Amino acid sequence: MTSLTLALDAMGGDFGPHVTVPAALQALSHFPHLNLILVGDRIAIGEQLRSHNATESPRLQLLHAEQVVSMSERPAQALRTRRQSSMRLALDLVRDGQADACVSAGNTGALMAMSKVVLRTLPGIDRPALVARVPTVIGKPVYLLDLGANVVCDSDTLFQFAVMGSVLAECSDQRGAPKVALLNVGTEQVKGNDQVQQAAQLLQQTPQLNYAGFIEGDAIFKGDVDVIVCDGFVGNVTLKTTEGAARLLLQQVHDAIQGNLLAKLLGWLLKKRLKQLNQHMNPDQYNGASLLGLRGIVVKSHGNVDKTAFFHAIEQAVAEVEQQVPLQIKDRLESVLLEKS
Amino acid sequence: MTSLTLALDAMGGDFGPHVTVPAALQALSHFPHLNLILVGDRIAIGEQLRSHNATESPRLQLLHAEQVVSMSERPAQALRTRRQSSMRLALDLVRDGQADACVSAGNTGALMAMSKVVLRTLPGIDRPALVARVPTVIGKPVYLLDLGANVVCDSDTLFQFAVMGSVLAECSDQRGAPKVALLNVGTEQVKGNDQVQQAAQLLQQTPQLNYAGFIEGDAIFKGDVDVIVCDGFVGNVTLKTTEGAARLLLQQVHDAIQGNLLAKLLGWLLKKRLKQLNQHMNPDQYNGASLLGLRGIVVKSHGNVDKTAFFHAIEQAVAEVEQQVPLQIKDRLESVLLEKS
């Protein structure tokens, strides 16, 4: 397997190097062909490396960054004033070909804005979208986009998201003619706001896409479709709501089982099943959303995650590099958008 | 206890009288002080009554309606052409004082449009909102609005929803100074779209409300706040997503228990515990959303529900009549809005 290099924004997320450094070390031992560049404050990263008995090596390099983008910073301000931040320098490494992808748990808006400026969008794409896989009943995850990169979207943007999502499902999972749906408040044709209504019309006029109509929130997990498109406000709230509901329910099951001796015995008998359930539904397993539509690979981790979840985001970036996702999207996009125009 | 009368749109929902009639009979035996008027097709309702060995009585009257509002009908069209529908006649009964509240599982948009015209909104309220209780970790449900009555909302509308939700939480649950939050893509002040940003400013300037800032999707279930406000598109998708996720997880637990003989036996022994879990989290238990901001009580049941869930919607209407919710909202609204203007 050819080696690949990822640039990690080591300062991003709620816990910075406390999470990113141990996750990086886990990834290095998991993927023998992986090299990492940790970008961030030399001292903070160095401390974490020492506390895990690790040192810099040809596979684990350190790039010092003077600045950090805070979680509450406005994207435009971060873009203007954080040119020496760990996030920015990690993206610069991708632009300059020194890294194959960037992983960050930092400020989503800033990551989106910087990625757009540093890496630029693919031809035909106005705005990148944040996409993630969401678990379904039938095991096969569904791609949901946008997850918050664009809180306001017109119908053209929703249409572009549909094209990108379809291509991603096709090239990442070898799904033939992925079914693409628009998230809406009802399945009837008359439902929804203007953007969704007009995006539906655009999709109906695009034979290269397998448009499956509107879908409601409760159908997200049924696995009937492969890609679900919505604006970033709706998508962000939907994804976080799902995660909140899943965590609440898993907790309730756990509490019910801990409640008495018999139940504990039941829990023990079902240990494997419940572990599977947890793995199947635990949001941490699905950490790692991709910024789609860029000329490079950027994976966004949740900010508030542990080492394991950040490891999954790194894993996601490795997969996308190996599948050459942006190149495949570019090729398919050209055929869909050019035939259309 | 003084008697009260509800008008049921017996034809509404996916199953019409097959669900509404048995639920009505269950409600009559559960609430000795309750009278019901079943509004809809005389023959279809009569058949259901006979099949349950029930007949018309002083407590169970039947009002024939020639028309039905279909689930896919456009609200404006329903308003114009369905004046003899079961939904419309049930609302007319409330307007004319012959019923204290109306319950319908029919077309949400049509119910909203008709309610607004027939019952009118309270002074200071432009548009009614659909509100429901959502379960939280701490047992105390949170009020979420709007759930789909208004797919596009400006900041004034969101502000009015916040006032109404706060009053509802206060008068239904005796919660003092309910905490009101805006659902958003982040908790930082800079996050969100224009409507949410401007609504936040309005709420910050209203000392009569206990405004708690922005809340993200995963915090809905934490029970930190009492009322969560969003536009109807976001709220509808959020509620349905929650329900979908809850059903999926409960099914997974059920499947895990059925998969193993010993587990099945223990599951049987723990039936009560698992039933509690189901009751706590099953969306059917929370069926019955209220149209808030009207001069009368209208409860909307989900369309695709069984007898038990529709019974819970009737139960919800009974509670609102007893608490005189619209009157209380009117009083509190006047104090908040008048002091504000």
Side-chain angles (χ1 to χ4, degrees):
Chain A
M1 210 172 273
T2 40
S3 73
L4 59 96
T5 303
L6 303 184
L8 302 191
D9 169 9
M11 310 308 285
D14 297 353
F15 311 110
H18 290 271
V19 158
T20 56
V21 170
L25 297 172
Q26 188 186 343
L28 286 176
S29 70
H30 189 86
F31 297 107
H33 62 306
L34 176 67
N35 304 317
L36 293 175
I37 306 172
L38 296 172
V39 188
D41 181 73
R42 191 186 292 119
I43 294 167
I45 297 172
E47 269 172 19
Q48 278 302 313
L49 285 174
R50 270 193 303 284
S51 79
H52 289 87
N53 297 316
T55 49
E56 290 182 62
S57 72
R59 288 187 59 206
L60 180 65
Q61 296 175 57
L62 203 160
L63 176 65
H64 179 65
E66 298 278 332
Q67 297 177 313
V68 174
V69 176
S70 81
M71 292 306 258
S72 59
E73 210 151 348
R74 280 179 196 273
Q77 192 187 341
L79 197 59
R80 219 171 40 241
T81 64
R82 295 286 180 261
R83 285 166 202 261
Q84 295 305 316
S85 65
S86 56
M87 184 185 282
R88 176 66 184 257
L89 295 185
L91 289 169
D92 288 347
L93 288 172
V94 177
R95 181 198 56 202
D96 300 341
Q98 294 178 266
D100 299 295
C102 161
V103 181
S104 175
N107 182 323
T108 307
L111 184 64
M112 155 90 174
M114 282 186 181
S115 298
K116 211 178 145 184
V117 167
V118 174
L119 299 176
R120 291 186 300 137
T121 54
L122 289 167
I125 296 296
D126 296 324
R127 301 159 76 181
L130 203 56
V131 60
R133 293 164 304 145
V134 172
T136 71
V137 187
I138 59 167
K140 179 187 75 170
V142 60
Y143 291 90
L144 181 66
L145 72 165
D146 173 48
L147 298 174
N150 311 277
V151 291
V152 182
C153 295
D154 61 16
S155 52
D156 283 336
T157 308
L158 292 175
F159 172 77
Q160 290 170 13
F161 292 173
V163 175
M164 292 196 292
S166 172
V167 176
L168 181 66
E170 207 175 333
C171 77
S172 296
D173 294 0
Q174 279 77 47
R175 299 190 193 177
K179 283 192 190 170
V180 181
L182 288 167
L183 191 56
N184 199 354
V185 298
T187 55
E188 300 87 0
Q189 270 207 323
V190 300
K191 292 292 176 75
N193 55 27
D194 290 348
Q195 302 90 287
V196 167
Q197 286 278 322
Q198 287 159 19
Q201 284 179 15
L202 289 172
L203 288 166
Q204 277 157 359
Q205 295 156 10
T206 310
Q208 298 96 326
L209 289 184
N210 188 4
Y211 175 57
F214 294 140
I215 197 172
E216 292 183 86
D218 55 350
I220 292 175
F221 314 102
K222 286 186 181 162
D224 294 339
V225 300
D226 302 289
V227 179
I228 300 174
V229 174
C230 56
D231 71 44
F233 196 108
V234 171
N236 183 285
V237 170
T238 298
L239 186 70
K240 284 179 182 158
T241 300
T242 307
E243 290 172 358
R247 286 213 174 82
L248 169 58
L249 271 158
L250 290 172
Q251 183 61 43
Q252 297 255 340
V253 172
H254 181 261
D255 289 352
I257 283 170
Q258 292 301 315
N260 73 32
L261 199 65
L262 264 182
K264 257 185 187 150
L265 186 60
L266 175 67
W268 184 80
L269 276 172
L270 295 177
K271 208 170 159 187
K272 208 177 133 197
R273 263 326 268 271
L274 289 169
K275 204 176 154 192
Q276 277 175 354
L277 175 66
N278 193 57
Q279 276 183 351
H280 189 58
M281 297 302 301
N282 191 324
D284 289 346
Q285 300 291 329
Y286 291 85
N287 187 38
S290 315
L291 267 177
L292 218 57
L294 295 166
R295 293 165 199 248
I297 296 167
V298 180
V299 171
K300 165 76 175 79
S301 161
H302 274 307
N304 180 20
V305 292
D306 63 7
K307 173 187 125 173
T308 309
F310 194 75
F311 167 79
H312 286 299
I314 298 174
E315 202 176 25
Q316 171 75 14
V318 170
E320 289 191 27
V321 172
E322 288 173 349
Q323 289 152 3
Q324 300 193 288
V325 170
L327 193 66
Q328 298 221 37
I329 291 182
K330 182 172 170 286
D331 289 347
R332 285 280 288 117
L333 265 177
E334 276 170 11
S335 80
V336 173
L337 295 177
L338 290 183
E339 281 176 44
K340 196 170 167 55
S341 61
Chain B
M1 207 171 274
T2 38
S3 73
L4 58 95
T5 302
L6 303 185
L8 303 190
D9 169 11
M11 310 308 286
D14 297 352
F15 311 110
H18 290 272
V19 158
T20 56
V21 170
L25 297 172
Q26 188 186 345
L28 285 176
S29 69
H30 189 86
F31 298 107
H33 62 307
L34 177 65
N35 305 318
L36 293 176
I37 306 172
L38 297 173
V39 189
D41 181 71
R42 192 186 292 120
I43 295 169
I45 297 173
E47 267 172 20
Q48 280 301 312
L49 285 175
R50 270 194 302 285
S51 81
H52 290 86
N53 296 317
T55 51
E56 289 182 63
S57 73
R59 288 186 60 207
L60 181 64
Q61 296 175 57
L62 203 160
L63 176 64
H64 180 65
E66 298 279 330
Q67 298 179 311
V68 174
V69 176
S70 81
M71 295 303 261
S72 58
E73 211 151 347
R74 279 177 195 274
Q77 191 188 339
L79 197 58
R80 219 171 42 242
T81 64
R82 295 285 179 261
R83 284 167 204 261
Q84 295 305 318
S85 64
S86 55
M87 183 185 282
R88 176 65 183 259
L89 295 185
L91 290 168
D92 288 346
L93 287 171
V94 177
R95 181 199 55 203
D96 299 342
Q98 295 179 263
D100 299 296
C102 161
V103 182
S104 175
N107 182 322
T108 307
L111 184 65
M112 155 90 174
M114 283 186 181
S115 300
K116 210 178 146 184
V117 167
V118 175
L119 299 176
R120 291 186 301 137
T121 55
L122 289 166
I125 297 297
D126 297 322
R127 301 160 76 179
L130 202 59
V131 60
R133 294 163 305 145
V134 173
T136 71
V137 187
I138 59 169
K140 181 187 74 167
V142 60
Y143 291 90
L144 180 66
L145 73 166
D146 174 49
L147 298 175
N150 311 276
V151 291
V152 182
C153 294
D154 62 16
S155 53
D156 283 334
T157 307
L158 292 174
F159 172 76
Q160 291 170 13
F161 292 173
V163 176
M164 294 197 288
S166 172
V167 175
L168 181 68
E170 208 175 332
C171 76
S172 298
D173 294 359
Q174 279 77 47
R175 299 188 193 180
K179 283 191 188 169
V180 181
L182 287 167
L183 191 57
N184 199 354
V185 298
T187 55
E188 301 86 359
Q189 271 207 322
V190 299
K191 291 292 174 78
N193 54 29
D194 290 349
Q195 301 91 286
V196 167
Q197 286 278 321
Q198 287 159 20
Q201 285 181 15
L202 291 171
L203 288 165
Q204 277 157 358
Q205 295 157 10
T206 309
Q208 298 97 324
L209 289 184
N210 189 4
Y211 175 58
F214 295 139
I215 196 172
E216 293 183 88
D218 54 350
I220 292 175
F221 314 101
K222 286 186 181 162
D224 294 340
V225 299
D226 301 290
V227 180
I228 301 174
V229 174
C230 57
D231 71 44
F233 196 108
V234 171
N236 182 285
V237 170
T238 298
L239 186 70
K240 285 181 182 157
T241 300
T242 307
E243 291 172 357
R247 288 217 173 80
L248 170 59
L249 273 157
L250 290 172
Q251 184 61 42
Q252 300 248 345
V253 172
H254 181 260
D255 289 352
I257 286 171
Q258 292 301 315
N260 170 318
L261 195 67
L262 199 51
K264 228 175 181 169
L265 180 65
L266 283 169
W268 184 80
L269 287 168
L270 291 169
K271 218 168 152 184
K272 205 176 135 198
R273 206 52 214 264
L274 290 168
K275 205 176 152 191
Q276 275 176 356
L277 175 66
N278 195 53
Q279 275 184 352
H280 189 57
M281 297 306 300
N282 190 325
D284 290 344
Q285 301 292 327
Y286 291 84
N287 188 38
S290 315
L291 267 176
L292 219 57
L294 296 166
R295 293 165 198 248
I297 296 168
V298 179
V299 171
K300 165 75 177 80
S301 159
H302 274 306
N304 179 20
V305 293
D306 63 9
K307 172 188 127 173
T308 310
F310 194 75
F311 167 80
H312 286 298
I314 297 174
E315 201 177 25
Q316 171 74 16
V318 169
E320 291 192 25
V321 173
E322 288 173 348
Q323 291 152 0
Q324 300 192 289
V325 170
L327 193 67
Q328 298 221 39
I329 290 182
K330 182 173 169 286
D331 290 347
R332 286 280 287 114
L333 266 177
E334 275 169 11
S335 81
V336 173
L337 294 177
L338 290 182
E339 282 177 43
K340 192 165 172 60
S341 61

